[in-house]
Structure formats: C-alpha cells, structure tokens
Amino acid sequence: MTGSDHAREMRAPYEVARVVAFVDAVVAIAMTLLILPLMESVSEVAAADEDTAQWFAGHDGQLISFVISFVIIAMFWMIHHRLFVRVDHATQGLLWTLMAWLLTIVWLPVATAISGQMPGEDPLAKTAYIGSMIATCLTSLAIRLYLRRHPTLHRIPASTITAGIAADVSTAALFTIALVVALTVPAIGYWALFIMLLAGPVQAVFARVLGTSRGRAA
C-alpha cells in the first residue's frame, strides 16, 4: 500500500461493503412495510363478513399507492446500486448524506399509507407523498455532488456523475410539477404522477444544459 493509499483510507475509514449491505437491508425493510396496511385491511374486511371483491373495491386507492411506491423504491435502489458499485471508500460526510437519503426511503411507507387512506382531496396527504419523492431525488443529488467533490473515493467517470446529476435534477423537477398539478387540479390528483413518463426527454434537456451528452447515469 502506497502512502497516498494509506492517507486516503485514513480519511475514509468506513468499509463500503458494510455500508451497501446496511442500505440494502433498510431498503428491503421499507419495501416490506408498504404491504402492512393492506394486510391489516384484509383482517378488518374479514371481521366485517365482507368478501374479497368488497376488499378490492374498498381499497383500490391503497393498492395503487402500494404498487407505485414499491416501483419507486425499487427504482431508487437500482440507481443507488449502480452508483455505489464503483465507490471504493466512504467518509463520515458521505455516510451522513446517505443517511438523509435513507430517511426519505424509510418515510415513504408512512406517506404511502397516508395517501392510500386519507381523502383524495387532502392537500397535505399529496404533499407528504409526492414531496417525499422529491426529497429522495434531492438527497440522491447531494450524494452525487459529494462524490464529485471527492473523486478519490470512487472510480466513476466525471461524465457519468454529471449525467446522474442531470437525472436527479430532472426527476425532482418532474415530481415537483406533479405535486403542483395534484394540488391545483384536485380532479387529477395522484394521476399527475404519470408525468414521470417524460423523464427520459427531460433528462436529455438537463444533460445538455449541464454540458454532457445523455448517457446512462451512475
């Protein structure tokens, strides 16, 4: 080990493999927690002598929220996995930024339960739900910016990090637009999230603004 390698490890004393394993465990628990409100509702329906059809009809909102949140957490985890596969060292600053990202992931099951059970016109429920996704994008952005400022911690090309920054910014912008539409046009509500289908083209625009060609973000 060279002197520079030793100095780098002293500045980044945390083992990345353990960090990644911890993140994987937390994300897995968060995804599992999404199903708990639905499981409880099955018991409530059975106790009321209602059938399966009535359960599906009475909890369609919860089911939609569950599927959307499951897919979104899975998407965020895949992005995190692609990013950290080329991170070699972790500092305390990087860990705290990552903890902020995990906080948004852990909060999402609560926001999902709120969105699925509260009245559809409840503006605070929409803010809590879609706002948590905006927070996840922003903390993901903070992680990339930290890595860009500390290139000795990873093997990620600068262009790839820039593409990832463009992806985070564009995704946060689209979630923000979805939130504004959901709040200002109650009839649309959570269907405003379908604006995320524009993520690809919008990411390409942000990539050009940031001075990089659109590529696969890490």
Side-chain angles (χ1 to χ4, degrees):
M1 177 183 295
T2 65
S4 61
D5 290 337
H6 179 72
R8 182 171 59 182
E9 290 192 6
M10 290 299 293
R11 293 193 301 269
Y14 298 97
E15 185 180 345
V16 174
R18 293 191 64 184
V19 173
V20 171
F22 175 77
V23 170
D24 289 350
V26 173
V27 172
I29 292 171
M31 296 179 79
T32 303
L33 289 175
L34 290 172
I35 200 66
L36 292 183
L38 288 171
M39 294 180 65
E40 293 175 358
S41 67
V42 170
S43 299
E44 294 171 359
V45 168
D49 292 327
E50 298 178 351
D51 59 22
T52 305
Q54 290 173 306
W55 178 80
F56 276 107
H59 298 86
D60 55 336
Q62 280 182 281
L63 286 166
I64 293 172
S65 297
F66 163 72
V67 172
I68 292 175
S69 297
F70 189 92
V71 171
I72 286 175
I73 292 180
M75 178 188 70
F76 282 129
W77 177 82
M78 291 176 191
I79 293 171
H80 161 83
H81 177 73
R82 288 201 304 267
L83 179 66
F84 270 76
V85 75
R86 286 184 282 185
V87 174
D88 301 314
H89 304 280
T91 61
Q92 189 171 22
L94 178 59
L95 285 187
W96 279 116
T97 309
L98 183 58
M99 291 304 112
W101 180 82
L102 279 177
L103 177 62
T104 68
I105 295 294
V106 171
W107 164 253
L108 190 54
V110 180
T112 301
I114 292 173
S115 68
Q117 298 185 48
M118 298 301 177
E121 64 275 7
D122 186 347
L124 188 55
K126 296 174 184 175
T127 302
Y129 186 55
I130 303 177
S132 65
M133 301 172 193
I134 297 172
T136 304
C137 294
L138 294 179
T139 51
S140 177
L141 174 63
I143 292 171
R144 294 187 202 277
L145 292 175
Y146 187 94
L147 290 173
R148 187 170 69 172
R149 291 186 59 187
H150 299 81
T152 60
L153 300 179
H154 58 85
R155 295 170 283 108
I156 308 171
S159 60
T160 303
I161 289 186
T162 303
I165 290 173
D168 285 334
V169 172
S170 60
T171 304
L174 286 174
F175 275 129
T176 301
I177 294 172
L179 177 58
V180 171
V181 171
L183 292 175
T184 57
V185 189
I188 295 179
Y190 295 106
W191 295 107
L193 286 170
F194 275 99
I195 198 174
M196 299 309 299
L197 295 175
L198 298 176
V202 173
Q203 179 182 337
V205 172
F206 275 95
R208 286 196 295 270
V209 170
L210 292 176
T212 182
S213 60
R214 182 187 170 193
R216 187 176 184 183

